[in-house]
Amino acid sequence: MSILNYNKTFFLKSIAKISDIKIEHGIEIAFVGYSNSGKSSAINSLTNQKKLARFSKTPGRTQLINFFQVTSDFRIVDLPGYGYAQAPLLIKINWQNMIYSYLKTSRSLKGLVLLMDIRHPLKNLDQDIINMALICKIPILLLLTKCDKFTINNQNIQFRKVHKKLETFSNQLHIQLFSSLKKIGIEKLKSKLNCWYEKYR
Ligand SMILES: Nc1nc2c(ncn2[C@@H]2O[C@H](COP(=O)(O)OP(=O)(O)O)[C@@H](O)[C@H]2O)c(=O)[nH]1
Ligand SMILES: [Mg+2]
């Protein structure tokens, strides 16, 4: 078993464009999701740090790709969230192209953590991202975030609904209930990341 200590994660760098990615060795796991899906909170809970991934209430503010280093050969990549419901088509397409080209071209990327608010899972862009990751053969961990907003019973109902829709891809996609607030699913998230790390390093 790996001995990754997520608490020691630190901010490495930000880049503005995919073309700024340099060839690097080591393994990357990317976090992606709509703005407000709880991505920054999840990265903060994973690393047990309050402000590592700054979280803001302004949707879509983070447009940079942020890299965090867990160990010298393992990085977490915080992809920009998608936040503008009424965004012009061009912005939407640019964002999709950016994510897609990262999924396609990054040699280091070994897994994708896709965060969806349990109250509104599988929105359009979530579906698009799942499709892109499947095409690129990147395994996906799907976190149903803020599950504390639901009763246990409703959590399970929603879990089963999402599971059923994605059943066909179960060899490449896992689903996990998650709450940063109530610390649900954090150990499962860690073991998935450890597992990807162990497999590819
Ligand atoms: N109830 C609850 N709220 C959460 C949880 N995680 C995040 N939030 C809230 O959801 C909002 C968006 O969170 P944030 O992490 O900034 O989302 P991001 O935009 O995806 O990075 C904030 O107001 C958080 O306090 C959670 O596990 N439970
Ligand atoms: Mg954020």
mmCIF file of all heavy atoms in Angstrom, residues 135-170:
data_model
loop_
_atom_site.group_PDB
_atom_site.id
_atom_site.type_symbol
_atom_site.label_atom_id
_atom_site.label_comp_id
_atom_site.label_asym_id
_atom_site.label_seq_id
_atom_site.Cartn_x
_atom_site.Cartn_y
_atom_site.Cartn_z
ATOM 1 N N ILE A 135 -13.636 8.223 -24.030
ATOM 2 C CA ILE A 135 -12.921 8.160 -25.315
ATOM 3 C C ILE A 135 -11.409 8.113 -25.069
ATOM 4 O O ILE A 135 -10.690 7.362 -25.712
ATOM 5 C CB ILE A 135 -13.270 9.384 -26.204
ATOM 6 C CG1 ILE A 135 -14.722 9.293 -26.666
ATOM 7 C CG2 ILE A 135 -12.337 9.489 -27.402
ATOM 8 C CD1 ILE A 135 -15.246 10.558 -27.328
ATOM 9 N N CYS A 136 -10.951 8.920 -24.120
ATOM 10 C CA CYS A 136 -9.510 8.996 -23.843
ATOM 11 C C CYS A 136 -9.036 7.866 -22.923
ATOM 12 O O CYS A 136 -7.864 7.822 -22.547
ATOM 13 C CB CYS A 136 -9.157 10.349 -23.235
ATOM 14 S SG CYS A 136 -9.542 11.730 -24.308
ATOM 15 N N LYS A 137 -9.959 6.986 -22.533
ATOM 16 C CA LYS A 137 -9.646 5.854 -21.667
ATOM 17 C C LYS A 137 -9.069 6.267 -20.304
ATOM 18 O O LYS A 137 -8.210 5.607 -19.743
ATOM 19 C CB LYS A 137 -8.698 4.872 -22.368
ATOM 20 C CG LYS A 137 -9.264 4.344 -23.680
ATOM 21 C CD LYS A 137 -8.728 2.961 -23.988
ATOM 22 C CE LYS A 137 -9.457 2.194 -25.057
ATOM 23 N NZ LYS A 137 -10.381 2.900 -25.918
ATOM 24 N N ILE A 138 -9.570 7.382 -19.796
ATOM 25 C CA ILE A 138 -9.168 7.846 -18.464
ATOM 26 C C ILE A 138 -10.219 7.366 -17.472
ATOM 27 O O ILE A 138 -11.405 7.666 -17.641
ATOM 28 C CB ILE A 138 -9.128 9.392 -18.414
ATOM 29 C CG1 ILE A 138 -8.373 9.955 -19.605
ATOM 30 C CG2 ILE A 138 -8.662 9.889 -17.056
ATOM 31 C CD1 ILE A 138 -7.008 10.392 -19.411
ATOM 32 N N PRO A 139 -9.828 6.642 -16.439
ATOM 33 C CA PRO A 139 -10.820 6.209 -15.445
ATOM 34 C C PRO A 139 -11.396 7.387 -14.658
ATOM 35 O O PRO A 139 -10.721 8.390 -14.450
ATOM 36 C CB PRO A 139 -10.032 5.273 -14.527
ATOM 37 C CG PRO A 139 -8.614 5.592 -14.758
ATOM 38 C CD PRO A 139 -8.480 6.177 -16.119
ATOM 39 N N ILE A 140 -12.646 7.236 -14.264
ATOM 40 C CA ILE A 140 -13.362 8.340 -13.613
ATOM 41 C C ILE A 140 -13.831 7.927 -12.222
ATOM 42 O O ILE A 140 -14.386 6.843 -12.042
ATOM 43 C CB ILE A 140 -14.621 8.728 -14.427
ATOM 44 C CG1 ILE A 140 -14.258 9.033 -15.883
ATOM 45 C CG2 ILE A 140 -15.346 9.912 -13.796
ATOM 46 C CD1 ILE A 140 -15.472 9.069 -16.812
ATOM 47 N N LEU A 141 -13.604 8.797 -11.250
ATOM 48 C CA LEU A 141 -14.273 8.670 -9.960
ATOM 49 C C LEU A 141 -15.296 9.800 -9.890
ATOM 50 O O LEU A 141 -14.931 10.975 -9.964
ATOM 51 C CB LEU A 141 -13.287 8.776 -8.796
ATOM 52 C CG LEU A 141 -13.943 8.785 -7.411
ATOM 53 C CD1 LEU A 141 -14.664 7.473 -7.122
ATOM 54 C CD2 LEU A 141 -12.918 9.072 -6.322
ATOM 55 N N LEU A 142 -16.533 9.418 -9.779
ATOM 56 C CA LEU A 142 -17.606 10.404 -9.777
ATOM 57 C C LEU A 142 -18.058 10.639 -8.340
ATOM 58 O O LEU A 142 -18.525 9.717 -7.676
ATOM 59 C CB LEU A 142 -18.726 9.786 -10.614
ATOM 60 C CG LEU A 142 -19.676 10.691 -11.329
ATOM 61 C CD1 LEU A 142 -20.298 9.940 -12.471
ATOM 62 C CD2 LEU A 142 -20.682 11.132 -10.340
ATOM 63 N N LEU A 143 -17.876 11.854 -7.844
ATOM 64 C CA LEU A 143 -18.282 12.157 -6.475
ATOM 65 C C LEU A 143 -19.629 12.866 -6.481
ATOM 66 O O LEU A 143 -19.794 13.891 -7.144
ATOM 67 C CB LEU A 143 -17.249 13.051 -5.783
ATOM 68 C CG LEU A 143 -15.837 12.503 -5.592
ATOM 69 C CD1 LEU A 143 -14.968 13.530 -4.863
ATOM 70 C CD2 LEU A 143 -15.840 11.175 -4.836
ATOM 71 N N LEU A 144 -20.582 12.291 -5.756
ATOM 72 C CA LEU A 144 -21.867 12.966 -5.557
ATOM 73 C C LEU A 144 -21.698 13.821 -4.306
ATOM 74 O O LEU A 144 -21.781 13.328 -3.176
ATOM 75 C CB LEU A 144 -22.986 11.945 -5.397
ATOM 76 C CG LEU A 144 -23.280 11.101 -6.643
ATOM 77 C CD1 LEU A 144 -24.324 10.037 -6.347
ATOM 78 C CD2 LEU A 144 -23.723 11.980 -7.811
ATOM 79 N N THR A 145 -21.408 15.101 -4.516
ATOM 80 C CA THR A 145 -20.979 15.973 -3.425
ATOM 81 C C THR A 145 -22.156 16.548 -2.639
ATOM 82 O O THR A 145 -23.300 16.518 -3.094
ATOM 83 C CB THR A 145 -20.138 17.150 -3.963
ATOM 84 O OG1 THR A 145 -20.958 17.909 -4.847
ATOM 85 C CG2 THR A 145 -18.911 16.660 -4.706
ATOM 86 N N LYS A 146 -21.816 17.081 -1.484
ATOM 87 C CA LYS A 146 -22.786 17.708 -0.560
ATOM 88 C C LYS A 146 -23.907 16.733 -0.212
ATOM 89 O O LYS A 146 -25.077 17.133 -0.096
ATOM 90 C CB LYS A 146 -23.378 18.989 -1.170
ATOM 91 C CG LYS A 146 -22.329 19.956 -1.729
ATOM 92 C CD LYS A 146 -22.955 21.265 -2.166
ATOM 93 C CE LYS A 146 -22.020 22.041 -3.069
ATOM 94 N NZ LYS A 146 -22.564 23.320 -3.512
ATOM 95 N N CYS A 147 -23.554 15.445 -0.086
ATOM 96 C CA CYS A 147 -24.584 14.435 0.164
ATOM 97 C C CYS A 147 -25.276 14.666 1.503
ATOM 98 O O CYS A 147 -26.389 14.183 1.720
ATOM 99 C CB CYS A 147 -24.016 13.022 0.042
ATOM 100 S SG CYS A 147 -22.921 12.548 1.366
ATOM 101 N N ASP A 148 -24.638 15.475 2.380
ATOM 102 C CA ASP A 148 -25.288 15.814 3.654
ATOM 103 C C ASP A 148 -26.584 16.599 3.460
ATOM 104 O O ASP A 148 -27.393 16.718 4.379
ATOM 105 C CB ASP A 148 -24.308 16.619 4.521
ATOM 106 C CG ASP A 148 -23.815 17.871 3.806
ATOM 107 O OD1 ASP A 148 -22.826 17.772 3.034
ATOM 108 O OD2 ASP A 148 -24.412 18.942 3.979
ATOM 109 N N LYS A 149 -26.789 17.126 2.257
ATOM 110 C CA LYS A 149 -28.033 17.861 1.964
ATOM 111 C C LYS A 149 -29.235 16.920 1.866
ATOM 112 O O LYS A 149 -30.373 17.376 1.831
ATOM 113 C CB LYS A 149 -27.903 18.612 0.640
ATOM 114 C CG LYS A 149 -26.829 19.684 0.627
ATOM 115 C CD LYS A 149 -27.389 21.026 1.044
ATOM 116 C CE LYS A 149 -26.360 22.132 0.811
ATOM 117 N NZ LYS A 149 -26.824 23.401 1.401
ATOM 118 N N PHE A 150 -28.951 15.617 1.731
ATOM 119 C CA PHE A 150 -30.013 14.618 1.599
ATOM 120 C C PHE A 150 -30.032 13.705 2.821
ATOM 121 O O PHE A 150 -29.015 13.488 3.461
ATOM 122 C CB PHE A 150 -29.758 13.736 0.372
ATOM 123 C CG PHE A 150 -30.236 14.296 -0.947
ATOM 124 C CD1 PHE A 150 -30.029 13.567 -2.117
ATOM 125 C CD2 PHE A 150 -30.883 15.520 -1.038
ATOM 126 C CE1 PHE A 150 -30.457 14.068 -3.348
ATOM 127 C CE2 PHE A 150 -31.317 16.027 -2.257
ATOM 128 C CZ PHE A 150 -31.096 15.290 -3.414
ATOM 129 N N THR A 151 -31.193 13.110 3.096
ATOM 130 C CA THR A 151 -31.253 12.052 4.095
ATOM 131 C C THR A 151 -30.518 10.834 3.529
ATOM 132 O O THR A 151 -30.330 10.734 2.310
ATOM 133 C CB THR A 151 -32.713 11.633 4.349
ATOM 134 O OG1 THR A 151 -33.255 11.148 3.109
ATOM 135 C CG2 THR A 151 -33.554 12.791 4.854
ATOM 136 N N ILE A 152 -30.134 9.928 4.409
ATOM 137 C CA ILE A 152 -29.429 8.720 3.972
ATOM 138 C C ILE A 152 -30.228 7.986 2.905
ATOM 139 O O ILE A 152 -29.703 7.536 1.896
ATOM 140 C CB ILE A 152 -29.192 7.751 5.156
ATOM 141 C CG1 ILE A 152 -28.399 8.436 6.264
ATOM 142 C CG2 ILE A 152 -28.499 6.470 4.699
ATOM 143 C CD1 ILE A 152 -26.906 8.399 6.151
ATOM 144 N N ASN A 153 -31.528 7.937 3.148
ATOM 145 C CA ASN A 153 -32.408 7.252 2.207
ATOM 146 C C ASN A 153 -32.359 7.897 0.814
ATOM 147 O O ASN A 153 -32.189 7.223 -0.195
ATOM 148 C CB ASN A 153 -33.834 7.273 2.780
ATOM 149 C CG ASN A 153 -34.729 6.296 2.049
ATOM 150 O OD1 ASN A 153 -34.248 5.271 1.559
ATOM 151 N ND2 ASN A 153 -36.002 6.615 1.957
ATOM 152 N N ASN A 154 -32.489 9.214 0.776
ATOM 153 C CA ASN A 154 -32.430 9.913 -0.509
ATOM 154 C C ASN A 154 -31.047 9.870 -1.148
ATOM 155 O O ASN A 154 -30.929 9.871 -2.372
ATOM 156 C CB ASN A 154 -32.919 11.354 -0.358
ATOM 157 C CG ASN A 154 -34.425 11.413 -0.188
ATOM 158 O OD1 ASN A 154 -35.132 10.473 -0.568
ATOM 159 N ND2 ASN A 154 -34.924 12.493 0.393
ATOM 160 N N GLN A 155 -30.009 9.817 -0.308
ATOM 161 C CA GLN A 155 -28.657 9.648 -0.853
ATOM 162 C C GLN A 155 -28.582 8.355 -1.654
ATOM 163 O O GLN A 155 -28.070 8.313 -2.765
ATOM 164 C CB GLN A 155 -27.617 9.584 0.275
ATOM 165 C CG GLN A 155 -27.367 10.898 0.979
ATOM 166 C CD GLN A 155 -26.417 10.748 2.163
ATOM 167 O OE1 GLN A 155 -25.600 9.824 2.210
ATOM 168 N NE2 GLN A 155 -26.528 11.643 3.127
ATOM 169 N N ASN A 156 -29.134 7.297 -1.046
ATOM 170 C CA ASN A 156 -29.072 5.985 -1.702
ATOM 171 C C ASN A 156 -29.920 5.924 -2.963
ATOM 172 O O ASN A 156 -29.518 5.320 -3.957
ATOM 173 C CB ASN A 156 -29.466 4.881 -0.724
ATOM 174 C CG ASN A 156 -28.421 4.728 0.366
ATOM 175 O OD1 ASN A 156 -27.236 4.994 0.131
ATOM 176 N ND2 ASN A 156 -28.839 4.339 1.558
ATOM 177 N N ILE A 157 -31.072 6.587 -2.900
ATOM 178 C CA ILE A 157 -31.939 6.632 -4.097
ATOM 179 C C ILE A 157 -31.209 7.331 -5.241
ATOM 180 O O ILE A 157 -31.154 6.840 -6.369
ATOM 181 C CB ILE A 157 -33.278 7.347 -3.773
ATOM 182 C CG1 ILE A 157 -34.121 6.466 -2.840
ATOM 183 C CG2 ILE A 157 -34.054 7.671 -5.048
ATOM 184 C CD1 ILE A 157 -35.356 7.145 -2.284
ATOM 185 N N GLN A 158 -30.614 8.485 -4.927
ATOM 186 C CA GLN A 158 -29.918 9.259 -5.954
ATOM 187 C C GLN A 158 -28.699 8.480 -6.471
ATOM 188 O O GLN A 158 -28.437 8.444 -7.669
ATOM 189 C CB GLN A 158 -29.499 10.620 -5.352
ATOM 190 C CG GLN A 158 -29.003 11.614 -6.361
ATOM 191 C CD GLN A 158 -30.113 12.161 -7.253
ATOM 192 O OE1 GLN A 158 -30.964 11.412 -7.739
ATOM 193 N NE2 GLN A 158 -30.117 13.457 -7.486
ATOM 194 N N PHE A 159 -27.987 7.832 -5.544
ATOM 195 C CA PHE A 159 -26.835 7.011 -5.935
ATOM 196 C C PHE A 159 -27.250 5.954 -6.955
ATOM 197 O O PHE A 159 -26.622 5.775 -7.992
ATOM 198 C CB PHE A 159 -26.216 6.347 -4.693
ATOM 199 C CG PHE A 159 -25.020 5.490 -5.010
ATOM 200 C CD1 PHE A 159 -23.736 5.996 -4.889
ATOM 201 C CD2 PHE A 159 -25.181 4.167 -5.438
ATOM 202 C CE1 PHE A 159 -22.620 5.215 -5.194
ATOM 203 C CE2 PHE A 159 -24.078 3.379 -5.744
ATOM 204 C CZ PHE A 159 -22.803 3.900 -5.617
ATOM 205 N N ARG A 160 -28.346 5.266 -6.636
ATOM 206 C CA ARG A 160 -28.788 4.187 -7.532
ATOM 207 C C ARG A 160 -29.226 4.699 -8.897
ATOM 208 O O ARG A 160 -28.970 4.076 -9.912
ATOM 209 C CB ARG A 160 -29.916 3.383 -6.866
ATOM 210 C CG ARG A 160 -29.387 2.402 -5.820
ATOM 211 C CD ARG A 160 -30.411 1.320 -5.490
ATOM 212 N NE ARG A 160 -31.576 1.892 -4.835
ATOM 213 C CZ ARG A 160 -31.690 2.066 -3.519
ATOM 214 N NH1 ARG A 160 -30.708 1.707 -2.711
ATOM 215 N NH2 ARG A 160 -32.779 2.594 -3.009
ATOM 216 N N LYS A 161 -29.879 5.883 -8.903
ATOM 217 C CA LYS A 161 -30.302 6.496 -10.165
ATOM 218 C C LYS A 161 -29.099 6.765 -11.062
ATOM 219 O O LYS A 161 -29.094 6.418 -12.241
ATOM 220 C CB LYS A 161 -30.980 7.849 -9.887
ATOM 221 C CG LYS A 161 -32.480 7.810 -9.895
ATOM 222 C CD LYS A 161 -33.019 9.252 -9.926
ATOM 223 C CE LYS A 161 -34.371 9.310 -9.250
ATOM 224 N NZ LYS A 161 -34.752 10.676 -8.874
ATOM 225 N N VAL A 162 -28.098 7.403 -10.476
ATOM 226 C CA VAL A 162 -26.901 7.756 -11.253
ATOM 227 C C VAL A 162 -26.181 6.481 -11.685
ATOM 228 O O VAL A 162 -25.750 6.347 -12.833
ATOM 229 C CB VAL A 162 -25.972 8.672 -10.421
ATOM 230 C CG1 VAL A 162 -24.675 8.957 -11.155
ATOM 231 C CG2 VAL A 162 -26.667 9.987 -10.094
ATOM 232 N N HIS A 163 -26.105 5.543 -10.753
ATOM 233 C CA HIS A 163 -25.430 4.280 -11.047
ATOM 234 C C HIS A 163 -26.083 3.574 -12.235
ATOM 235 O O HIS A 163 -25.411 3.065 -13.127
ATOM 236 C CB HIS A 163 -25.454 3.383 -9.812
ATOM 237 C CG HIS A 163 -24.653 2.134 -9.980
ATOM 238 N ND1 HIS A 163 -25.215 0.942 -10.397
ATOM 239 C CD2 HIS A 163 -23.335 1.898 -9.829
ATOM 240 C CE1 HIS A 163 -24.280 0.036 -10.485
ATOM 241 N NE2 HIS A 163 -23.122 0.573 -10.152
ATOM 242 N N LYS A 164 -27.394 3.574 -12.229
ATOM 243 C CA LYS A 164 -28.132 2.894 -13.287
ATOM 244 C C LYS A 164 -27.860 3.515 -14.655
ATOM 245 O O LYS A 164 -27.652 2.826 -15.645
ATOM 246 C CB LYS A 164 -29.630 2.940 -12.963
ATOM 247 C CG LYS A 164 -30.493 2.083 -13.839
ATOM 248 C CD LYS A 164 -31.630 1.455 -13.038
ATOM 249 C CE LYS A 164 -31.974 0.102 -13.632
ATOM 250 N NZ LYS A 164 -32.804 -0.016 -14.687
ATOM 251 N N LYS A 165 -27.816 4.850 -14.674
ATOM 252 C CA LYS A 165 -27.564 5.553 -15.937
ATOM 253 C C LYS A 165 -26.175 5.267 -16.495
ATOM 254 O O LYS A 165 -25.949 5.366 -17.698
ATOM 255 C CB LYS A 165 -27.707 7.062 -15.734
ATOM 256 C CG LYS A 165 -29.142 7.497 -15.553
ATOM 257 C CD LYS A 165 -29.345 8.944 -16.006
ATOM 258 C CE LYS A 165 -30.808 9.316 -15.909
ATOM 259 N NZ LYS A 165 -31.033 10.498 -15.079
ATOM 260 N N LEU A 166 -25.243 4.943 -15.588
ATOM 261 C CA LEU A 166 -23.856 4.818 -16.039
ATOM 262 C C LEU A 166 -23.330 3.390 -15.956
ATOM 263 O O LEU A 166 -22.135 3.136 -16.112
ATOM 264 C CB LEU A 166 -22.958 5.754 -15.208
ATOM 265 C CG LEU A 166 -23.289 7.238 -15.333
ATOM 266 C CD1 LEU A 166 -22.517 8.049 -14.306
ATOM 267 C CD2 LEU A 166 -22.973 7.758 -16.734
ATOM 268 N N GLU A 167 -24.243 2.481 -15.699
ATOM 269 C CA GLU A 167 -23.904 1.076 -15.477
ATOM 270 C C GLU A 167 -22.965 0.490 -16.547
ATOM 271 O O GLU A 167 -22.027 -0.231 -16.237
ATOM 272 C CB GLU A 167 -25.188 0.260 -15.451
ATOM 273 C CG GLU A 167 -25.249 -0.767 -14.364
ATOM 274 C CD GLU A 167 -26.663 -1.334 -14.245
ATOM 275 O OE1 GLU A 167 -27.540 -0.993 -15.063
ATOM 276 O OE2 GLU A 167 -26.872 -2.121 -13.310
ATOM 277 N N THR A 168 -23.250 0.851 -17.791
ATOM 278 C CA THR A 168 -22.469 0.317 -18.920
ATOM 279 C C THR A 168 -20.975 0.607 -18.785
ATOM 280 O O THR A 168 -20.158 -0.105 -19.355
ATOM 281 C CB THR A 168 -22.923 0.965 -20.254
ATOM 282 O OG1 THR A 168 -24.113 1.697 -20.022
ATOM 283 C CG2 THR A 168 -23.084 -0.057 -21.336
ATOM 284 N N PHE A 169 -20.637 1.685 -18.082
ATOM 285 C CA PHE A 169 -19.233 2.092 -18.030
ATOM 286 C C PHE A 169 -18.564 1.682 -16.725
ATOM 287 O O PHE A 169 -17.500 2.186 -16.383
ATOM 288 C CB PHE A 169 -19.119 3.606 -18.207
ATOM 289 C CG PHE A 169 -19.966 4.140 -19.321
ATOM 290 C CD1 PHE A 169 -20.992 5.032 -19.069
ATOM 291 C CD2 PHE A 169 -19.734 3.727 -20.630
ATOM 292 C CE1 PHE A 169 -21.780 5.508 -20.106
ATOM 293 C CE2 PHE A 169 -20.519 4.212 -21.673
ATOM 294 C CZ PHE A 169 -21.543 5.093 -21.412
ATOM 295 N N SER A 170 -19.199 0.752 -15.997
ATOM 296 C CA SER A 170 -18.729 0.508 -14.632
ATOM 297 C C SER A 170 -17.300 -0.029 -14.540
ATOM 298 O O SER A 170 -16.699 0.012 -13.478
ATOM 299 C CB SER A 170 -19.694 -0.423 -13.894
ATOM 300 O OG SER A 170 -19.796 -1.625 -14.605
#
